[in-house]
């Protein structure tokens, strides 16, 4: 868990203060466990300074800037990471996503296709492509990408929320609700899997704002690490000015100055 990772990294830092690895690990803990952007940035910046050729340091610093909304910095570190390891699938996926979030959708698709040329089974690239096509209102293309993502997943419920969001954007509420029922089935058979954010995205898409916000509040209660990605998605645009949504962002606190 994150507690063990923190302890191990702190001990490693005591043994070798010049190592980038412990700072990288502590930066990750600060992002996903503590929701502490200030501490995360300090550790990740130090990791890059100590290891300027450390691909993972640039990769994680790119992700950090992405979730903070610093898109130019996210792309810059993503590009350095690709230069350091041009065949890394996660690194290419990260850069593709960062470009898309900056608004360079077509450039993002080009990078993601480069990753799929290396390995057509890289699920992350298919998922990112699905979201990019959704932003472009290319719904059939989005469904195709999400179908490939789901086909490559070992979980038979994979992609339910994504499919549902696409169907909702297409105006096909019946099929969107079919995917909502798939999520409910998964919640029954996998009670240990936290699906609050998946439910929230789909409920928001079909117009159940209160239901979506309730699920997000439950995700915050459970301290779901992936909530740091909340402001990186247009899925929540319709709730941006809602007091409950603002309260959720305040509770997470990752975007405070």
């Amino acid at each position: 868990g994150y507690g063990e990772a923190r302890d191990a990294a702190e001990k490693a830092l005591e043994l070798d203060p010049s190592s980038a690895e412990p700072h990288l690990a502590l930066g990750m803990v600060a992002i996903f466990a503590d929701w502490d952007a200030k501490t995360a940035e300090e550790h990740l910046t130090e990791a890059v300074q100590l290891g300027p050729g450390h691909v993972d340091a640039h990769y994680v610093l790119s992700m950090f800037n992405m979730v903070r909304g610093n898109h130019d910095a996210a792309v810059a570190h993503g590009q350095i990471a690709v230069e350091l390891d041009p065949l890394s699938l996660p690194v290419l996926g990260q850069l593709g996503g960062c470009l898309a979030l900056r608004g360079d959708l077509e450039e993002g698709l080009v990078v993601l296709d480069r990753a799929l040329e290396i390995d057509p089974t890289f699920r992350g690239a298919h998922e990112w492509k699905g979201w990019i096509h959704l932003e472009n209102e290319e719904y059939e293309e989005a469904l195709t990408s999400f179908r490939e993502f789901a086909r490559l997943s070992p979980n038979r419920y994979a992609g339910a929320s994504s499919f549902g969001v696409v169907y909702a954007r297409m105006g096909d509420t019946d099929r969107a609700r079919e995917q909502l029922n798939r999520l409910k089935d998964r919640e029954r058979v996998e009670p240990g899997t936290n699906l609050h954010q998946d439910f929230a995205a789909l409920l928001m898409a079909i117009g159940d704002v209160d239901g979506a916000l309730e699920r997000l509040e439950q995700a915050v209660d459970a301290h779901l690490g992936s909530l740091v990605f909340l402001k990186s998605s247009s899925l929540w645009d319709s709730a941006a000015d809602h007091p409950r949504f603002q309260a959720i962002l305040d509770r997470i606190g990752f975007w405070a100055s």
Side-chain angles (χ1 to χ4, degrees), residues 42-61:
E42 290 172 354
H43 280 297
L44 295 175
T45 301
E46 186 70 11
V48 166
Q49 290 175 346
L50 291 170
H54 195 305
V55 61
D56 288 341
H58 288 284
Y59 169 79
V60 178
L61 191 52

Side-chain angles (χ1 to χ4, degrees), residues 95-248:
L95 178 57
C98 287
L99 286 165
L101 290 173
R102 191 172 70 173
D104 301 321
L105 301 180
E106 296 306 319
E107 287 184 52
L109 286 173
V110 169
V111 173
L112 294 169
D113 282 336
R114 194 191 317 166
L116 291 172
E117 287 175 6
I118 297 170
D119 183 356
T121 69
F122 178 41
R123 289 189 296 135
H126 290 292
E127 187 174 31
W128 264 117
K129 286 185 68 175
W131 292 117
I132 292 173
H133 287 306
L134 181 66
E135 286 299 307
N136 277 335
E137 299 184 357
E138 298 164 348
Y139 300 127
E140 291 302 327
E141 291 87 345
L143 289 172
T144 297
S145 292
F146 287 135
R147 286 188 187 112
E148 193 63 12
F149 167 79
R151 184 184 71 81
L152 294 166
S153 173
N155 190 300
R156 64 192 177 105
Y157 297 104
S161 181
S162 305
F163 286 127
V165 170
V166 178
Y167 289 133
R169 294 274 184 94
M170 295 171 71
D172 193 340
T173 305
D174 289 342
R175 295 179 82 177
R177 289 193 175 277
E178 286 176 6
Q179 298 302 317
L180 183 61
N181 289 332
R182 286 184 66 212
L183 271 183
K184 292 177 180 177
D185 288 342
R186 182 176 183 182
E187 193 169 50
R188 280 192 293 270
V189 301
E190 298 178 22
T193 302
N194 192 321
L195 297 170
H196 292 312
Q197 203 165 345
D198 298 73
F199 272 102
L202 181 44
L203 289 167
M204 188 70 71
I206 62 178
D208 185 356
V209 176
D210 287 337
L213 293 175
E214 182 176 353
R215 283 287 187 166
L216 284 179
E217 288 163 348
Q218 290 173 328
V220 176
D221 291 341
H223 207 88
L224 185 63
S226 61
L227 285 171
V228 295
F229 293 98
L230 206 59
K231 288 186 72 173
S232 304
S233 171
S234 64
L235 293 172
W236 319 104
D237 285 357
S238 60
D241 296 325
H242 197 294
R244 284 176 69 187
F245 187 71
Q246 288 300 316
I248 288 165

Side-chain angles (χ1 to χ4, degrees), residues 76-94:
H77 284 287
Q79 288 171 332
I80 294 171
V82 168
E83 290 170 6
L84 291 168
D85 190 353
L87 299 180
S88 169
L89 299 177
V91 165
L92 287 167
Q94 170 72 17

